Amino acid sequence: QLATIRNKAAGYVKDSLKNREVIVGSLCGKIYFIDYVSGKASRKSYDVGNPIKGTMSFDPSYNGNLYVGHGVPARQPFGALIVNLFDHSRVSTFGRDAKAWRGWGAYDSSPIAVGGFMFRPGENGTLYKLFTTDKKVEIHSTLRYKVNGASPGMEASMAVSRNYGYISDNHGNIIAVNLNTMRPVWHYRNHDDTDATIVVEEENGIPMIYTGCEIDKQGESGFCYFIKLNGLNGDVVWEQKIAGKKAELGKTTEGGMFASPLIGSGDCEGLIFSNISPMEPGNWGNFIAFDKATGEVKYRTPLKFYSWSSPVGLINEKEEMFIVTGDTYGNVYVIRGRDGKILTTRQIGNNFESSPIVIDNKIIVGSRGNEIFKLSIE
């Protein structure tokens, strides 16, 4: 996550050591601050006590708050916290919620700011509506729900269109929530566990949502159901099924979609892209382009290994779109969007599970092999 820190007292964007910092949460349980230009530490790291699996969120009001979620309980307290980056103080630590209907208290999702509130989905089966200042956090209201008697956890972040929030959970439920009332609007069952964050785009004033599931609860084999829904009523616009299975790679690894899709632009207008993993020897991972209107598969580009990292797009002066993505074997790919041709690929890391960020023609991405890379796309 790239952050520029606003000095509230002076009322301008503060040059935080080198104007821009890359702020990275790590599985070692630390937040790292990196100078964007040099790649060196811009300030001392901050220890949050437990591994961080999801992307951290910087408060868009520039009050200094960084929202962090624990992913694995190495120690207590285990849950969610807020760190103020102006003075590295701990604003809030939120551990086990006694009112939650599910006991697992991890937060792999990222909060999102809407209408003066922060909304945070939890793996304890609760969507929180929070009111925050630079030194205070209060729970305004919550949504807790059960489907067929079970309260699923939410690992994906929430997508928003106007006053509607779209959440998915590890039982395959997709739910639209009125964020003003914190009440469900509609519910759709998409077959299996969904960790990838929903993508939403308006078409003729109607929010359309795109999402896909894993191959987990279906058994050893099944399908990734990649779908487009009408965001106002949950009606299915189209559904595409991509076959796959689980694989034994030291541990059971699920197939399907773990990365958020990417909407095409420029010369790829009308397409949506996603990394989907069949998890079959010789066909571990696919980069797939779908027609947004029909769901038709326009092409599949085989990757060398499966991918959980979300693809990102770059547009050149000719309105040509190029996609950068990584896989879990440390390969980085540059793909021409209109036809799926791999223009270059290099193994530079160990395992890319995190998603890249794009700044101009620069890509910044973290590797599970204890490295963070800044790449130039020429």
Side-chain angles (χ1 to χ4, degrees):
Q1 177 166 338
L2 188 74
T4 54
I5 312 302
R6 181 178 296 276
N7 184 322
K8 296 197 302 175
Y12 62 91
V13 175
K14 181 182 179 182
D15 184 351
S16 181
L17 297 179
K18 284 292 186 180
N19 188 38
R20 291 192 286 186
E21 288 184 309
V22 179
I23 303 177
V24 179
S26 172
L27 285 171
C28 74
K30 291 184 178 181
I31 304 170
Y32 291 100
F33 304 90
I34 304 169
D35 177 83
Y36 169 72
V37 176
S38 69
K40 297 180 180 179
S42 54
R43 50 175 139 163
K44 186 179 179 180
S45 62
Y46 187 95
D47 193 341
V48 300
N50 286 301
I52 303 167
K53 291 172 63 179
T55 302
M56 302 176 299
S57 294
F58 188 68
D59 197 302
S61 71
Y62 290 101
N63 62 13
N65 286 347
L66 184 71
Y67 300 84
V68 186
H70 290 155
V72 180
R75 67 181 87 162
Q76 296 297 325
F78 172 63
L81 62 150
I82 302 173
V83 178
N84 189 279
L85 297 188
F86 292 136
D87 56 12
H88 279 209
S89 62
R90 185 75 62 92
V91 176
S92 169
T93 301
F94 184 71
R96 185 179 179 90
D97 183 354
K99 297 181 180 179
W101 295 347
R102 193 168 183 265
W104 181 242
Y107 290 84
D108 282 2
S109 66
S110 303
I112 187 169
V114 185
F117 295 93
M118 294 295 294
F119 293 84
R120 183 170 220 157
E123 292 185 54
N124 61 5
T126 306
L127 174 64
Y128 295 93
K129 184 176 183 178
L130 306 173
F131 176 74
T132 64
T133 66
D134 55 348
K135 294 298 178 185
K136 187 177 181 181
V137 58
E138 296 177 350
I139 296 177
H140 176 277
S141 52
T142 61
L143 170 64
R144 310 181 204 269
Y145 65 92
K146 292 183 179 181
V147 179
N148 297 326
S151 179
M154 291 169 274
E155 297 181 51
S157 303
M158 183 173 73
V160 173
S161 176
R162 303 186 188 185
N163 67 310
Y164 276 17
Y166 301 101
I167 54 177
S168 57
D169 62 39
N170 54 24
H171 286 195
N173 301 297
I174 301 168
I175 296 175
V177 182
N178 186 322
L179 299 180
N180 294 330
T181 64
M182 291 293 281
R183 298 291 184 185
V185 178
W186 54 257
H187 162 260
Y188 179 82
R189 170 73 175 163
N190 194 33
H191 306 279
D192 212 328
D193 188 354
T194 304
D195 286 357
T197 297
I198 291 168
V199 168
V200 59
E201 180 186 44
E202 282 199 5
E203 294 182 9
N204 301 316
I206 299 174
M208 296 292 175
I209 71 171
Y210 300 87
T211 188
C213 70
E214 301 158 24
I215 300 168
D216 181 5
K217 294 177 171 53
Q218 298 173 66
E220 293 303 310
S221 62
F223 296 94
C224 168
Y225 293 83
F226 186 48
I227 59 172
K228 179 180 181 178
L229 303 179
N230 183 313
L232 296 181
N233 54 29
D235 288 349
V236 179
V237 179
W238 51 254
E239 175 187 84
Q240 184 63 255
K241 295 163 63 175
I242 307 296
K245 64 177 186 177
K246 298 178 181 179
E248 293 298 327
L249 301 171
K251 64 175 184 177
T252 301
T253 304
E254 290 79 20
M257 183 190 293
F258 285 82
S260 295
L262 171 68
I263 291 176
S265 57
D267 65 349
C268 294
E269 193 76 34
L271 298 178
I272 185 167
F273 307 98
S274 186
N275 286 327
I276 297 178
S277 303
M279 300 302 291
E280 298 172 341
N283 187 32
W284 295 108
N286 292 168
F287 175 78
I288 305 179
F290 300 87
D291 187 295
K292 285 200 307 182
T294 66
E296 176 190 359
V297 174
K298 305 302 287 187
Y299 64 76
R300 296 188 189 209
T301 297
L303 305 179
K304 294 181 180 180
F305 214 51
Y306 68 95
S307 178
W308 291 357
S309 179
S310 299
V312 294
L314 300 93
I315 304 291
N316 68 9
E317 66 280 358
K318 299 178 182 179
E319 290 297 302
E320 296 172 318
M321 187 176 188
F322 300 88
I323 292 96
V324 177
T325 193
D327 68 23
T328 55
Y329 202 67
N331 298 296
V332 173
Y333 307 82
V334 179
I335 299 171
R336 189 164 59 198
R338 69 173 180 266
D339 58 11
K341 181 180 179 181
I342 296 177
L343 302 179
T344 186
T345 179
R346 287 176 58 190
Q347 185 181 17
I348 63 172
N350 181 13
N351 177 355
F352 292 112
E353 291 182 9
S354 62
S355 300
I357 58 172
V358 178
I359 305 158
D360 301 323
N361 69 323
K362 302 294 190 295
I363 303 293
I364 298 176
V365 62
S367 167
R368 195 155 181 161
N370 304 327
E371 295 176 300
I372 299 164
F373 294 89
K374 179 181 177 182
L375 312 174
S376 295
I377 309 298
E378 304 295 340

